Amino acid sequence: MKKILVTGGAGFIGSHLCERLLNEGNEVICLDNFFTGSKKNVIHLLNRPYFELIRHDITMPYFVEVDEIYNLACPASPIHYQHNAIKTIKTSVMGAINMLGLAKRIKAKVLQASTSEVYGDPIVHPQTEDYWGNCNPIGKRSCYDEGKRCAESLFVNYYHQNNVRIKIARIFNTYGPGMSANDGRVVSNFIVQALKDEDITIFGNGNQTRSFQYVDDLVEALIRLMNTDDSVIGPVNIGNPNEFTILELAEQILKITNSKSKIIHLPLPEDDPSQRQPNISLAKKLLNNWEPKVELNNGLLKTIEYFKNIK
Ligand code: NAD
Ligand code: UDP
């Protein structure tokens, strides 16, 4: 049995990860400030003897003895991370310093939830890990992109300077049950709108693309990455390479939900990336032939079912 700390564990991805780690027989400490996460996401785990939920903000140091740290704490939806941009930067940068400092002190392995956003509005397509990205350092998204880029730099420098055992996962757009109805990201927005027969809000013309990964595929890859030997530090792209336009996503959700909603177009937010698709060759090689298993249609069916039940 390992003792594992999951920061951001009451969020969408974190709550799935906590559950999976518990089911595998580990002791899990879930740390969250409940900014975008909620106790509701982990309420079903509270009676498990090896689960602990702690309210804490990772911009402040936290000390505990664990074997592994998954650092997921950070708002991930543009509306939430732009709500308090300075706080978002502090969460990524000071949070990384605090978790790396802890890992160094207790000799734990530490995994950073980085993001495809480090590629910005990518000119190289699909994105490979050696691409340095195309980010606007002073734009609306920079609090998130640059915060995560700085965190990656901190991780590799703690590895080189202090031999901290690190892993960096570059996560691409992930969706699934457990997303909050007011999360603001595209999959949850469109599903909630379709189920209520409200207008589907496409930002811009809808020709921009994303590649959507179901949460179970991501959790599997994160655990496999944590379990790689110490020479594997990353970054490693983790995503589903099937690429769709936002218009195609809207049409698919309308069809599955049999909704009466109509599509409307709203202005495209500043610096909205025009395309995104992971090259996952490295993940396949390093993570024991890992590849995503859940097709968009099946993942959407499960996610729609979830949103129907919380309506
Ligand atoms: P989420 O917003 O549901 O979860 C983030 C969690 O972190 C929430 O529970 C929130 O309350 C907590 N948190 C935020 N700031 C904190 C702080 N200062 N101290 C303690 N807790 C804090 O988002 P998610 O989709 O579950 O994303 C989890 C991680 O994965 C994030 O780091 C995100 O950047 C990364 N990621 C997610 C995606 C995606 O598509 N979901 C893509 C790329 C990267
Ligand atoms: N988007 C949209 N309507 C919405 C929410 C998002 O058209 O109600 C678009 C958004 O402009 C972007 C894509 O969907 O082009 C993905 O947005 P999301 O916020 O989910 O993720 P990110 O932009 O961070 O990849």
Side-chain angles (χ1 to χ4, degrees):
M1 179 190 270
K2 286 186 283 197
K3 250 181 130 175
I4 302 176
L5 176 65
V6 180
T7 78
F12 159 53
I13 296 171
S15 52
H16 284 269
L17 179 64
C18 286
E19 182 163 3
R20 173 78 191 268
L21 292 170
L22 275 174
N23 289 346
E24 290 184 353
N26 301 293
E27 184 169 348
V28 174
I29 301 170
C30 166
L31 196 140
D32 208 293
N33 72 350
F34 304 121
F35 172 46
T36 50
S38 144
K39 279 186 194 162
K40 262 199 249 161
N41 286 339
V42 288
I43 202 153
H44 60 297
L45 305 177
L46 289 178
N47 62 356
R48 307 266 292 254
Y50 292 107
F51 181 72
E52 237 176 293
L53 175 63
I54 291 161
R55 181 191 291 268
H56 181 83
D57 192 305
I58 59 154
T59 58
M60 310 287 192
Y62 181 76
F63 298 109
V64 67
E65 290 280 335
V66 289
D67 304 298
E68 295 175 352
I69 305 167
Y70 288 85
N71 187 35
L72 270 59
C74 184
S77 163
I79 50 164
H80 295 306
Y81 70 63
Q82 288 168 20
H83 169 73
N84 184 344
I86 295 169
K87 179 65 196 256
T88 300
I89 300 172
K90 284 185 179 170
T91 295
S92 276
V93 176
M94 294 162 73
I97 292 171
N98 287 329
M99 289 307 124
L100 286 160
L102 174 63
K104 178 182 165 191
R105 183 177 165 144
I106 61 174
K107 299 198 175 354
K109 251 194 278 188
V110 57
L111 180 149
Q112 169 66 358
S114 189
T115 168
S116 52
E117 287 282 324
V118 300
Y119 301 121
D121 191 0
I123 292 161
V124 170
H125 192 75
Q127 292 77 57
T128 41
E129 289 84 352
D130 57 2
Y131 175 49
W132 291 353
N134 176 33
C135 290
N136 173 359
I138 55 168
K140 276 262 162 58
R141 297 174 84 99
S142 65
C143 59
Y144 185 71
D145 304 357
E146 299 293 0
K148 290 282 188 180
R149 285 165 69 98
C150 182
E152 285 200 9
S153 172
L154 283 161
F155 268 69
V156 291
N157 284 302
Y158 268 77
Y159 166 74
H160 290 303
Q161 251 175 271
N162 298 128
N163 297 316
V164 174
R165 292 179 297 154
I166 65 145
K167 311 283 175 195
I168 300 172
R170 286 191 182 149
I171 303 169
F172 283 66
N173 296 62
T174 304
Y175 69 97
M179 294 184 94
S180 126
N182 65 3
D183 179 275
R185 280 175 283 183
V186 68
V187 175
S188 48
N189 269 9
F190 286 1
I191 292 178
V192 170
Q193 291 162 347
L195 290 177
K196 292 183 176 163
D197 290 328
E198 288 173 358
D199 292 346
I200 303 282
T201 54
I202 290 189
F203 301 161
N205 58 18
N207 291 334
Q208 69 271 37
T209 67
R210 294 293 186 274
S211 305
F212 299 101
Q213 158 173 248
Y214 189 68
V215 64
D216 290 355
D217 286 328
L218 168 66
V219 166
E220 176 65 35
L222 292 179
I223 293 173
R224 287 193 194 194
L225 179 59
M226 184 62 108
N227 291 334
T228 51
D229 70 58
D230 290 352
S231 66
V232 176
I233 62 169
V236 182
N237 288 341
I238 303 187
N240 187 324
N242 287 335
E243 186 183 9
F244 297 88
T245 67
I246 296 305
L247 185 60
E248 284 169 337
L249 175 74
E251 282 164 351
Q252 195 156 346
I253 290 174
L254 283 172
K255 197 169 137 202
I256 304 176
T257 52
N258 215 357
S259 168
K260 296 191 190 70
S261 296
K262 63 179 190 342
I263 288 175
I264 60 163
H265 292 268
L266 297 178
L268 190 67
E270 182 184 310
D271 295 336
D272 199 281
S274 56
Q275 53 180 357
R276 191 180 285 154
Q277 184 190 30
N279 175 314
I280 57 165
S281 310
L282 186 63
K284 276 188 191 164
K285 190 171 125 203
L286 296 176
L287 309 181
N288 239 338
N289 287 322
W290 169 86
E291 60 184 346
K293 291 201 163 66
V294 183
E295 294 298 339
L296 183 64
N297 195 59
N298 293 339
L300 286 177
L301 283 170
K302 292 183 194 188
T303 312
I304 289 165
E305 212 38 51
Y306 163 80
F307 278 110
K308 270 186 190 163
N309 292 324
I310 60 161
K311 243 184 16 156

